[in-house]
Amino acid sequence: MASSQMCGPCTRMDKTAPAVQFCTDCEDPLCADCVSTHKAIKVLAVHHLIDEDVRTDKIFSIKRTCSDHPDMCLEFYCSNHETLCCRTCSVNTHRTCGKILPIDVAARGIRSSVMLNEVIADLQALLQTTEKLVEDRAKNNENIGKAKATTLQKIVVFKLQLISELNELEKKLMTEVDETVKNLTRTAESDLSDIDIRHKAIVEISAQLECLTKHGSESQILMLLNTIRVDISKQENDFQNLIPSYECLDLNFKASEIKSALNSLGSVEIISVPCYITHKPKKYDQAQIQQKYEKMPTKFKLKTDLQVPHSNGRISSIVVTNDNKLLLCKQGDKSKALSLWSDTGDHIQDCALAGTASGIAMIPGTNEAVVTLPNIGSIQFVNITSMVPGKSMKVPDKCYGVTIIKEMIVLGGKGKLYFLSMTGSFIKAINVGSDYLNSLKANKMGMIYCCETGNDTLHGIDIKGTVIFSYKSPGFNGPIGMAFDGKDNLYVATWYNHKLHRLSKDGKLIDILLTKEDGLNEPYDVAFNNNYTKLYIANRLGTVNKDVLIFECA
């Protein structure tokens, strides 16, 4: 957007007149005459006029084109997925969504919406955290300087108790202190600089939002909110990883046993305690409440067969993202361990991991997922928005299944469930069965379900580790993949006899929905889209292309 102080309409008519106000709807500077005309025309009378000196280019520079279709303008808002979309997206991606609204309609009342209030609260929380961190890092830097004086004083007192022959050792230790302080100060200043940069960035976002909230249109506010929420999420994720890395450092003088060994005055030790600052992001609610689906599909019709090129291994897991994209785990190919596809069958992107993938689980409230890498005994975090792999870490066993429950990562090993913190620290292990637990799922009530494939058993376990039920049946051969419907019924694919079973949440068979006659051939995982209108089944092993069967549900 131009930053000229000349009237836009006059300039286009080859006239020159200084701008005195700015129309935030037209995004045009206006002179006094054009302001009068603007107010006189009925259709323009409702536009928002502000003083020209209030306007800045950055505040009103809002993205207006679709990321997936750059030649299309953002015109609609999907309430189901809480996202802006263009005409093409509304037809292709959001065709089955319950409520697609024009942006102007969806934005009505945005100034008093939960979304705006929560975004403001998130920004305030981030600002408070950065301000506390700036104060903490500055105090840490100051304490290092004080610690140096205290440490040197201790050294001198100790030195006076010794004979003059120890002067060389004293000089050596003084040098060590100076070098240590120099390194610590450099680290402290780096911490302070990094937090200051983040603080300034968040202040800019807050200022932009505050000004636009006061002077912008509702559409512009909505569009800005959807833009800055990505930045807020990134800052929150960064703080979750950054803050635990900070340490409050100090110096201390540790005297040596000099009477028995006169080869050193002592050493300089660094006393470290974790940074006390924490950041707890305020999770925002939606401005338009997302529709809650409590649906149990009753009819399944094969719509299409998505062919995924993958000759080595199989598709071991399917996850459906919030925007109904398919995230596929590929066994046997770590260079393309994760593969992202649209629900219409278009390949989007692959992601290489540290090993071949088996299970995957989304981390609620973030854009991250955790993936099991059983061939190297590890798990790895992945940003599913950018498809960029994160840190990997060793786990206690060769684990296949994974799920997230109550801010814990739960892994399926051989006859054991392992509970880890979200940073990978071991919490506990419980015994479940005797074979590998290949698939894990947790429902809304806190129950954990796991498939013990080798023993043809499905276990239901509570959060304390108590086995509530273990389901076996003569026709239940090789349970391997699971999904829930809106009523928490379980849909379990059995690998050995090519069937899809539906069980109640307390482990009772309801019916068998699909068999080999419906196209199932060694099914390995199953997933629904977000409104339970599509069912995806990973199919086949010994073929060059692997199937993802797509069933329409009703």
Side-chain angles (χ1 to χ4, degrees), residues 192-385:
L192 191 57
S193 175
D194 179 62
I195 294 302
D196 189 58
I197 291 171
R198 292 179 183 275
H199 179 261
K200 290 177 181 177
I202 296 167
V203 167
E204 285 185 11
I205 296 175
S206 298
Q208 182 184 7
L209 179 59
E210 181 181 357
C211 187
L212 193 61
T213 303
K214 292 179 180 178
H215 306 295
S217 69
E218 293 184 335
S219 298
Q220 292 165 332
I221 294 172
L222 177 62
M223 297 177 77
L224 178 63
L225 291 178
N226 279 270
T227 301
I228 67 175
R229 283 163 59 202
V230 176
D231 296 333
I232 291 172
S233 178
K234 181 179 183 303
Q235 289 284 3
E236 289 176 338
N237 290 337
D238 287 349
F239 278 135
Q240 298 298 332
N241 295 323
L242 184 65
I243 293 174
S245 70
Y246 284 145
E247 295 176 326
C248 297
L249 305 176
D250 202 348
L251 295 180
N252 188 40
F253 173 64
K254 185 178 180 181
S256 70
E257 296 292 334
I258 198 163
K259 291 182 179 179
S260 59
L262 296 175
N263 61 352
S264 172
L265 281 178
S267 62
V268 177
E269 62 181 9
I270 300 172
I271 300 173
S272 173
V273 294
C275 176
Y276 77 95
I277 305 296
T278 60
H279 176 71
K280 295 181 179 179
K282 298 178 183 294
K283 296 300 175 188
Y284 55 82
D285 295 325
Q286 297 172 334
Q288 290 77 18
I289 298 174
Q290 184 172 346
Q291 183 177 352
K292 301 294 184 182
Y293 297 99
E294 294 186 357
K295 180 178 178 181
M296 183 179 79
T298 56
K299 297 179 181 179
F300 298 85
K301 179 182 179 182
L302 182 61
K303 179 183 179 183
T304 186
D305 180 357
L306 175 62
Q307 295 286 307
V308 179
H310 181 44
S311 58
N312 186 15
R314 65 169 75 247
I315 296 171
S316 57
S317 294
I318 303 175
V319 162
V320 179
T321 65
N322 291 333
D323 54 355
N324 278 321
K325 293 185 175 67
L326 302 182
L327 195 57
L328 311 178
C329 285
K330 296 181 179 179
Q331 284 184 343
D333 188 352
K334 71 177 184 179
S335 66
K336 298 179 180 179
L338 290 184
S339 188
L340 187 65
W341 294 69
S342 73
D343 62 348
T344 56
D346 297 321
H347 177 251
I348 299 172
Q349 191 175 356
D350 289 326
C351 176
L353 298 180
T356 58
S358 180
I360 183 170
M362 305 281 287
I363 300 177
T366 74
N367 58 357
E368 283 193 314
V370 59
V371 183
T372 57
L373 311 175
N375 61 323
I376 60 172
S378 301
I379 60 174
Q380 188 164 9
F381 296 89
V382 181
N383 186 309
I384 60 171
T385 301

Side-chain angles (χ1 to χ4, degrees), residues 112-126:
S112 59
S113 70
V114 174
M115 181 192 291
L116 175 59
N117 292 335
E118 292 296 343
V119 168
I120 291 173
D122 286 339
L123 282 170
Q124 289 173 342
L126 284 170

Side-chain angles (χ1 to χ4, degrees), residues 106 120 136 148 161 167 175 223 253 278 302 318 347 407 410 438 446 458 541:
I120 291 173
D136 178 76
K148 176 183 177 180
Q161 300 172 6
N167 287 337
T175 302
M223 297 177 77
F253 173 64
T278 60
L302 182 61
I318 303 175
H347 177 251
E407 297 188 352
V410 186
N438 287 288
L458 173 72
L541 172 63

Side-chain angles (χ1 to χ4, degrees), residues 27-194:
E27 297 187 16
D28 229 355
L30 304 173
C31 66
D33 291 339
C34 289
V35 167
S36 299
T37 304
H38 219 69
K39 293 178 178 179
I41 298 174
K42 186 175 181 179
V43 72
L44 303 179
V46 295
H47 283 199
H48 297 78
L49 300 177
I50 62 174
D51 291 340
E52 171 64 19
D53 56 2
V54 173
R55 181 178 62 92
T56 64
D57 289 346
K58 195 167 186 179
I59 292 175
F60 291 98
S61 59
I62 303 170
K63 183 180 178 183
R64 299 177 181 279
T65 56
C66 178
S67 299
D68 295 330
H69 308 97
D71 57 333
M72 300 291 289
C73 293
L74 295 170
E75 299 181 57
F76 300 100
Y77 184 85
C78 174
S79 297
N80 286 356
H81 296 110
E82 193 184 353
T83 187
L84 301 171
C85 57
C86 67
R87 289 183 179 274
T88 302
C89 288
S90 67
V91 174
N92 293 343
T93 309
H94 303 278
R95 184 176 67 250
T96 61
C97 294
K99 198 170 185 182
I100 302 291
L101 299 172
I103 288 176
D104 290 343
V105 175
R108 289 173 184 168
I110 193 70
R111 283 189 173 87
S112 59
S113 70
V114 174
M115 181 192 291
L116 175 59
N117 292 335
E118 292 296 343
V119 168
I120 291 173
D122 286 339
L123 282 170
Q124 289 173 342
L126 284 170
L127 282 171
Q128 290 172 1
T129 300
T130 54
E131 288 165 0
K132 289 178 182 178
L133 285 171
V134 167
E135 182 180 350
D136 178 76
R137 294 297 90 193
K139 186 175 181 180
N140 181 54
N141 193 22
E142 180 184 348
N143 287 341
I144 290 171
K146 292 179 180 179
K148 176 183 177 180
T150 303
T151 302
L152 293 178
Q153 184 179 4
K154 287 181 180 180
I155 294 171
V156 171
V157 170
F158 185 72
K159 181 199 68 174
L160 293 176
Q161 300 172 6
L162 304 176
I163 59 176
S164 59
E165 288 81 8
L166 299 178
N167 287 337
E168 289 299 320
L169 289 176
E170 179 196 7
K171 192 180 299 183
K172 179 181 178 182
L173 192 56
M174 292 290 190
T175 302
E176 182 183 350
V177 171
D178 287 335
E179 287 297 320
T180 302
V181 169
K182 185 187 298 182
N183 292 335
L184 291 178
T185 302
R186 187 182 300 115
T187 300
E189 290 173 348
S190 176
D191 290 347
L192 191 57
S193 175
D194 179 62

Side-chain angles (χ1 to χ4, degrees), residues 301-547:
K301 179 182 179 182
L302 182 61
K303 179 183 179 183
T304 186
D305 180 357
L306 175 62
Q307 295 286 307
V308 179
H310 181 44
S311 58
N312 186 15
R314 65 169 75 247
I315 296 171
S316 57
S317 294
I318 303 175
V319 162
V320 179
T321 65
N322 291 333
D323 54 355
N324 278 321
K325 293 185 175 67
L326 302 182
L327 195 57
L328 311 178
C329 285
K330 296 181 179 179
Q331 284 184 343
D333 188 352
K334 71 177 184 179
S335 66
K336 298 179 180 179
L338 290 184
S339 188
L340 187 65
W341 294 69
S342 73
D343 62 348
T344 56
D346 297 321
H347 177 251
I348 299 172
Q349 191 175 356
D350 289 326
C351 176
L353 298 180
T356 58
S358 180
I360 183 170
M362 305 281 287
I363 300 177
T366 74
N367 58 357
E368 283 193 314
V370 59
V371 183
T372 57
L373 311 175
N375 61 323
I376 60 172
S378 301
I379 60 174
Q380 188 164 9
F381 296 89
V382 181
N383 186 309
I384 60 171
T385 301
S386 60
M387 290 292 280
V388 174
K391 63 181 179 180
S392 62
M393 59 184 67
K394 291 291 183 180
V395 292
D397 197 356
K398 188 176 184 179
C399 295
Y400 290 86
V402 58
T403 189
I404 308 293
I405 184 170
K406 296 186 181 299
E407 297 188 352
M408 292 186 291
I409 301 171
V410 186
L411 302 174
K414 188 171 185 179
K416 286 184 181 294
L417 286 181
Y418 296 95
F419 291 74
L420 310 178
S421 72
M422 297 307 294
T423 57
S425 302
F426 177 80
I427 298 174
K428 65 179 179 179
I430 60 174
N431 296 318
V432 180
S434 59
D435 207 342
Y436 283 108
L437 304 174
N438 287 288
S439 179
L440 268 65
K441 287 285 188 295
N443 72 1
K444 294 173 286 191
M445 303 303 294
M447 280 282 290
I448 302 170
Y449 300 87
C450 51
C451 291
E452 189 184 0
T453 308
N455 288 327
D456 299 333
T457 306
L458 173 72
H459 300 284
I461 304 144
D462 66 17
I463 191 66
K464 297 178 181 178
T466 305
V467 177
I468 305 301
F469 70 82
S470 294
Y471 175 81
K472 291 176 69 77
S473 170
F476 198 65
N477 304 125
I480 191 67
M482 292 183 290
F484 295 113
D485 64 19
K487 295 184 178 295
D488 271 355
N489 296 312
L490 277 165
Y491 294 69
V492 185
T494 50
W495 176 25
Y496 299 141
N497 61 351
H498 324 290
K499 292 181 180 179
L500 181 67
H501 304 249
R502 177 158 53 192
L503 287 81
S504 64
K505 58 187 175 184
D506 56 352
K508 303 229 174 13
L509 179 66
I510 298 174
D511 49 12
I512 295 174
L513 298 170
L514 301 170
T515 65
K516 195 166 187 176
E517 287 69 30
D518 298 296
L520 272 61
N521 184 357
E522 295 186 347
Y524 214 75
D525 199 19
V526 55
F528 282 103
N529 68 349
N530 294 320
N531 58 0
Y532 306 105
T533 57
K534 290 183 181 179
L535 175 71
Y536 308 97
I537 298 180
N539 217 32
R540 299 197 185 208
L541 172 63
T543 57
V544 174
N545 292 331
K546 302 302 181 293
D547 294 337

